[in-house]
Amino acid sequence: MRDLATIEETLANEVREAFKEKVLETKIPRLRRLFVSISPDAYKDLARFLVEKAGVGHLSTIVGEDTGKTIDVMPQFFGRGVEVTLRVSLSREKPTIDTIGDIRAAGYVYEREIHDLLGVEFTGHPNLEKLVLPDEWPEGVYPLRKEFKTKSLEPIRKT
């Protein structure tokens, strides 16, 4: 039986060595899980590193979260028996980050969803048209933002 904790630690060490001070934090909450908080300027490079150099090539999903202070973007990669979640915190006023869709094409769809629901701009994304919201949805209104209130909107369809 292999020592799974060693795999997570080894991977965390590889990331810290390659990205030095741009790695804000690493956590191993349990076997087969690694969380890496990274500065925004290293986000795309770390995603590329995981896929091309670290053997963590499967993009499982990308999720977004409004923490109240920041908008966080968290792609989840899988490889070497470990699920690796990157976390990058962006300004709520202008959340912008590079696309990783050119690294893993599935990222394009997840990024469109995060753009719709949280207002994150993905630089270099070829098509940030609405994906999950109706065409009539008001511009600049993001339903997963903390300040969003359903009562503040007019109905988008008259019945």
Side-chain angles (χ1 to χ4, degrees), residues 36-54:
V36 180
S37 293
I38 189 103
S39 64
D41 62 325
Y43 170 75
K44 185 168 189 156
D45 291 335
L46 180 51
R48 188 177 313 282
F49 173 83
L50 290 174
V51 169
E52 294 177 1
K53 295 196 166 108

Side-chain angles (χ1 to χ4, degrees), residues 85-155:
T85 300
L86 304 183
R87 178 183 287 264
V88 62
S89 296
L90 307 173
S91 156
R92 292 184 90 254
E93 292 73 36
K94 189 170 166 78
T96 303
I97 195 78
D98 286 333
T99 183
I100 60 170
D102 54 339
I103 297 168
R104 282 291 181 246
Y108 286 135
V109 175
Y110 300 129
E111 290 170 350
R112 282 181 65 190
E113 180 181 33
I114 293 167
H115 176 74
D116 270 7
L117 302 175
L118 288 164
V120 175
E121 291 292 326
F122 291 92
T123 305
H125 194 292
N127 176 11
L128 285 175
E129 291 180 20
K130 286 185 176 69
L131 179 68
V132 296
L133 295 177
D135 291 337
E136 303 85 15
W137 191 266
E139 287 297 318
V141 177
Y142 306 108
L144 292 186
R145 292 269 189 123
K146 299 266 185 203
E147 68 271 9
F148 178 78
K149 304 287 184 243
T150 56
K151 292 178 185 176
S152 66
L153 289 177
E154 293 293 320

